[in-house]
Amino acid sequence: MDQRPLINAAGLGLRRSFLSEIAANPPANVGFYEVAPENWMTLGGKLGKQFRALTERFQFICHGLSLSIGSSDPLDEKFVRDLKKFMADHGIRYYSEHLSYCSHDGHLYDLMPIPFTADAVRHVAARIRRVQDILEHKIAIENVSYYAAPGREMSEIEFFNAVVEEADCNVLIDINNIYVNSVNHGYDAEAFLRAMPGQRIAYAHIAGHYVETEDFLVDTHGAPVIDPVWQLLDKAYQQFGVFPTLLERDFNLPPLAELLQEVDTIRAIQAKAGQRQTPRVA
């Protein structure tokens, strides 16, 4: 199932701290919302009712944090089945996850890099296919930020493309992660972007990061998006056409009005790209 036409425009990651504000006065410029299902699946009471009211009115995506798709631990099929029920209960038809792992005989509470090897491609692709079989639809896999590449046999983009091709899954393209990795690992961000499988892009993330030094950035989702990342998003639209794009902000949350200004920036870049009428790569 091609998910790309099914969500619209610019989106925002939903946080509990501004759930009540959005429920009372939904922003007109937000076309869809994204939630980490692990944080919402057992939600009840007033917050649960507010969440239900929003999922009945707006399009939502589930973006997983704990599936640990690259782990050597057994795949948590119970979680996937619980997720399937949660998505059905709320009419949510889209799920994405990170191309990483976060468990080894227990949760590590961080997203760890998968070795860029042929064996890892086969292992991860098989697990993605199993998740898709249970959910009965394709999922989107996100290119992640990483700070080391142990045991690499291929480049990051070769590994990423091999996984999504063998798994036959969709792509969540994270623009900030491309920029962060390009600085940390010394590659051309635009060349990496051009090598992405554009026909598989379901939607995008854009976020801010922390500057440790000029040549070392940390993907924190805790700061405003910077100009070079906005420019890379525009390049992505030029390359592939406009796709749904979501603002991520997980820490140092400002007032909602400030986040909505960044959502407006996404919309402005999308509108500019739409005027160029660049067709999406098929």
Side-chain angles (χ1 to χ4, degrees), residues 61 68 72 86 100 105 152 157 179 201 234 240 263 280:
I61 292 174
S68 199
S72 58
F86 172 75
S100 63
D105 297 327
R152 66 186 300 165
I157 190 61
Y179 179 79
I201 295 173
D234 187 47
F240 302 118
V263 173
R280 292 195 60 156

Side-chain angles (χ1 to χ4, degrees), residues 121-189:
V121 168
R122 290 187 288 271
H123 172 72
V124 177
R127 286 163 70 93
I128 294 172
R129 290 196 302 269
R130 178 57 182 157
V131 172
Q132 293 182 150
D133 287 345
I134 296 172
L135 294 180
E136 299 183 273
H137 63 74
K138 290 185 180 182
I139 68 173
I141 292 297
E142 177 184 358
N143 57 295
V144 299
S145 57
Y146 65 99
Y147 307 97
R152 66 186 300 165
E153 296 174 356
M154 59 185 77
S155 69
E156 177 192 352
I157 190 61
E158 290 171 334
F159 176 73
F160 183 84
N161 286 351
V163 168
V164 298
E165 179 68 25
E166 184 159 336
D168 190 21
C169 62
N170 288 332
V171 168
L172 161 53
I173 181 172
D174 191 301
I175 302 299
N176 182 64
N177 287 350
I178 294 175
Y179 179 79
V180 165
N181 290 346
S182 73
V183 172
N184 291 346
H185 303 289
Y187 64 66
D188 184 326

Side-chain angles (χ1 to χ4, degrees), residues 21-230:
E21 187 176 357
I22 286 178
N25 187 24
N29 61 342
V30 177
F32 66 101
Y33 294 94
E34 181 188 78
V35 293
E38 296 88 340
N39 296 333
W40 299 83
M41 288 167 69
T42 60
L43 192 67
K46 179 181 177 181
L47 292 179
K49 291 178 181 178
Q50 289 175 333
F51 180 66
R52 166 71 74 176
L54 287 176
T55 60
E56 289 175 347
R57 296 179 59 189
F58 301 102
Q59 296 190 81
F60 272 75
I61 292 174
C62 282
H63 181 53
L65 298 174
S66 65
L67 185 57
S68 199
I69 200 69
S71 177
S72 58
D73 293 345
L75 183 67
D76 189 349
E77 294 193 5
K78 180 183 183 303
F79 168 77
V80 180
R81 295 184 191 281
D82 289 344
L83 169 68
K84 184 177 182 179
K85 181 180 184 304
F86 172 75
M87 293 174 68
D89 288 346
H90 288 278
I92 301 172
R93 298 174 58 191
Y94 326 107
Y95 177 69
S96 60
E97 248 292 357
H98 306 83
L99 186 57
S100 63
Y101 71 98
C102 58
S103 66
H104 182 69
D105 297 327
H107 278 279
L108 303 174
Y109 302 102
D110 205 352
L111 298 174
M112 306 298 291
I114 303 170
F116 301 154
T117 68
D119 284 345
V121 168
R122 290 187 288 271
H123 172 72
V124 177
R127 286 163 70 93
I128 294 172
R129 290 196 302 269
R130 178 57 182 157
V131 172
Q132 293 182 150
D133 287 345
I134 296 172
L135 294 180
E136 299 183 273
H137 63 74
K138 290 185 180 182
I139 68 173
I141 292 297
E142 177 184 358
N143 57 295
V144 299
S145 57
Y146 65 99
Y147 307 97
R152 66 186 300 165
E153 296 174 356
M154 59 185 77
S155 69
E156 177 192 352
I157 190 61
E158 290 171 334
F159 176 73
F160 183 84
N161 286 351
V163 168
V164 298
E165 179 68 25
E166 184 159 336
D168 190 21
C169 62
N170 288 332
V171 168
L172 161 53
I173 181 172
D174 191 301
I175 302 299
N176 182 64
N177 287 350
I178 294 175
Y179 179 79
V180 165
N181 290 346
S182 73
V183 172
N184 291 346
H185 303 289
Y187 64 66
D188 184 326
E190 291 186 29
F192 186 99
L193 179 69
R194 290 192 296 271
M196 294 285 282
Q199 74 280 5
R200 293 185 179 271
I201 295 173
Y203 73 112
H205 278 171
I206 194 163
H209 55 260
Y210 175 72
V211 179
E212 182 73 29
T213 64
E214 286 188 2
D215 58 356
F216 183 62
L217 309 180
V218 182
D219 177 38
T220 60
H221 303 171
V225 181
I226 65 170
D227 285 344
V229 178
W230 288 125

